[in-house]
Amino acid sequence: MRKLRARWSALADRIDAGTPTDRDRTVDALRSFAILGVVLGHWLVTALTTANGGLSTASPLAHLPWLAPVSWIFQTLAVFFLVGGHVAARGYASARERGLPYGAWVGQRLSRLFRPVAAVLALWAVTAGGMLLGGADPGTVQTLLKLVLSPLWFLLVFAVLTAATALVARLSPVWPLAVVAAVDAWRFGLGGPEWIGWVNVAAGWLVPFTLGAAWSRGAFARRTPAALLLGAGAAATVALVLWGGYPASMVGVPGAPISNLNPPTLAAAAFGLAQCGLALLLREPLERAMRRPRVWAKVALMNLSAMTIFLWHQTAMMAVTALGLLAPADLSGLHTVPDSAQWIAARLLWLPVFAAVLALCWAAFHTYEQARQPNRSSSSRTVVGSRPTAGSPPAPVQEITHA
């Protein structure tokens, strides 16, 4: 154990020393927080039960409405889009300074986003085909595939907004927010068609994305604008939930007539403003925390595999659930209906098991997230999986340095 701690401390020190001094570590910290929020949120509010024969999805939010505040903590997509807009705007500005064509810049940005998707789709295509050929219930297979594929909508929206950075980087967040409000007014107030709500998939997430772009231009150098975002967003969210008829949960609840997330509503957009304001206010304490090499190393290493973690966390949960079916009886917190405090307590005990299986998925598939390039010179970075030359830092250090 002492040797492991010593090796970890040495690696953390080298990662810290190898990180450029001008890198904003708070951006990486916020991205890590957002990814962890999504992962833990899915693990806590998504259950696969055997109540109806086979496996079907259920949510404790449908049975225990008082758990709605959990969604306020773990629905962190607005923070991810905030960071995405910030990084995309800065990257685009840097590409223009270097004379890099826009198409080449977009290709570089999106390639790392979608490389790991291919591995997920390939594995689940084989798995689903094998299950159907083996006589599995088609409803069960559909349930599993939906859990795997449904998070991909987020990547598609993120990719579209990233590709459109040149068009939206200087757009005021007021405009997409106004679109969200108009769509909701038409949909809920004037009896408009339900399909019009899907306009908000782009408009709703464009709000934090453009806030991130504004951040890159120095719009939040002072704390006052961020504090106003937090206060106004929180007040608007409370008002919309209490008097506007919007649900309290910031994620979809099975059987509920309205979902704040699919598609995003004005309440979700207002909540996202509050989240972004809070994230921007936390930059100073995060900056101090990121100066600690052990803390920074964890954040930096997680950022190297953020998409792998996001894409495989549902598979990890489903793998544990499927293996649990080998037990002689349904396992509490895993296969049982999520309708009691006992289920919640049991579910919390399963989280480390989900994390362990996710670590196995990471070990098997994280290399798909990292581009492999031939070594060009001793000053070039060593790609993950290659053998470093004598005296060179380990691959993670060089990947982080050039990220």
Side-chain angles (χ1 to χ4, degrees):
M1 182 63 70
R2 185 173 298 177
K3 282 187 176 181
L4 287 176
R5 288 178 179 174
R7 291 178 64 183
W8 165 246
S9 295
L11 177 61
D13 289 337
R14 297 174 76 175
I15 290 174
D16 181 65
T19 302
T21 56
D22 61 346
R23 186 180 185 92
D24 189 347
R25 301 184 183 191
T26 62
V27 173
D28 299 275
L30 289 173
R31 185 190 294 112
S32 296
F33 166 77
I35 290 293
L36 284 177
V38 171
V39 170
L40 291 175
H42 281 162
W43 284 353
L44 287 170
V45 304
T46 304
L48 286 168
T49 74
T50 58
N52 300 318
L55 290 175
S56 58
T57 55
S59 172
L61 296 173
H63 300 276
L64 306 169
W66 53 269
L67 282 177
V70 171
S71 68
W72 307 345
I73 300 172
F74 294 109
Q75 204 288 76
T76 51
L77 286 176
V79 177
F80 195 93
F81 278 94
L82 172 77
V83 172
H86 175 77
V87 173
R90 288 187 62 183
Y92 172 57
S94 175
R96 292 185 63 184
E97 291 175 0
R98 292 181 284 119
L100 183 68
Y102 188 64
W105 175 78
V106 171
Q108 291 175 3
R109 294 287 302 171
L110 299 187
S111 61
R112 181 169 179 177
L113 195 65
F114 285 111
R115 270 196 306 268
V117 173
V120 175
L121 295 179
L123 182 138
W124 273 99
V126 173
T127 300
M131 291 177 67
L132 291 172
L133 291 174
D137 174 42
T140 295
V141 176
Q142 182 180 4
T143 295
L144 297 179
L145 287 177
K146 185 177 180 181
L147 284 177
V148 172
L149 299 178
S150 59
L152 296 185
W153 71 262
F154 147 80
L155 291 183
L156 291 175
V157 176
F158 190 80
V160 169
L161 296 184
T162 299
T165 297
L167 299 175
V168 303
R170 292 192 173 273
L171 182 69
S172 170
V174 172
W175 295 111
L177 185 63
V179 171
V180 174
V183 167
D184 273 18
W186 186 9
R187 180 183 171 199
F188 300 128
L190 301 176
E194 283 296 311
W195 60 262
I196 196 64
W198 294 103
V199 172
N200 285 350
V201 172
W205 299 120
L206 190 56
V207 174
F209 193 88
T210 52
L211 280 173
W215 173 17
S216 73
R217 300 191 300 270
F220 298 98
R222 296 182 297 111
R223 294 174 60 86
T224 302
L228 289 174
L229 269 184
L230 173 58
T237 303
V238 171
L240 289 167
V241 170
L242 292 180
W243 301 296
Y246 289 89
S249 173
M250 288 300 144
V251 299
V253 179
I258 299 175
S259 167
N260 273 323
L261 193 58
N262 297 311
T265 63
L266 183 59
F271 180 74
L273 291 177
Q275 277 191 322
C276 291
L278 179 60
L280 292 166
L281 286 174
L282 290 176
R283 284 176 297 168
E284 290 184 10
L286 281 176
E287 183 182 3
R288 290 193 294 270
M290 292 303 108
R291 292 174 190 162
R292 300 166 58 186
R294 281 70 174 163
V295 177
W296 165 240
K298 293 174 183 176
V299 169
L301 291 173
M302 181 177 176
N303 271 272
L304 289 178
S305 302
M307 282 299 101
T308 302
I309 293 170
F310 175 79
L311 289 169
W312 290 96
H313 74 278
Q314 294 283 58
T315 297
M317 180 191 73
M318 289 185 283
V320 174
T321 304
L323 289 173
L325 293 174
L326 299 175
D330 287 344
L331 300 176
S332 179
L334 202 60
H335 308 123
T336 52
V337 176
D339 59 358
S340 66
Q342 288 76 15
W343 184 92
I344 299 170
R347 187 65 162 196
L348 292 174
L349 295 177
W350 283 107
L351 296 187
V353 183
F354 296 161
V357 176
L358 178 57
L360 294 177
C361 294
W362 172 87
F365 299 106
H366 76 279
T367 54
Y368 289 93
E369 191 170 349
Q370 296 151 356
R372 293 179 179 272
Q373 301 173 357
N375 290 334
R376 290 166 292 187
S377 68
S378 60
S379 62
S380 299
R381 75 175 182 183
T382 303
V383 297
V384 172
S386 62
R387 185 180 298 276
T389 57
S392 65
V397 176
Q398 299 187 46
E399 286 285 347
I400 294 163
T401 301
H402 294 78

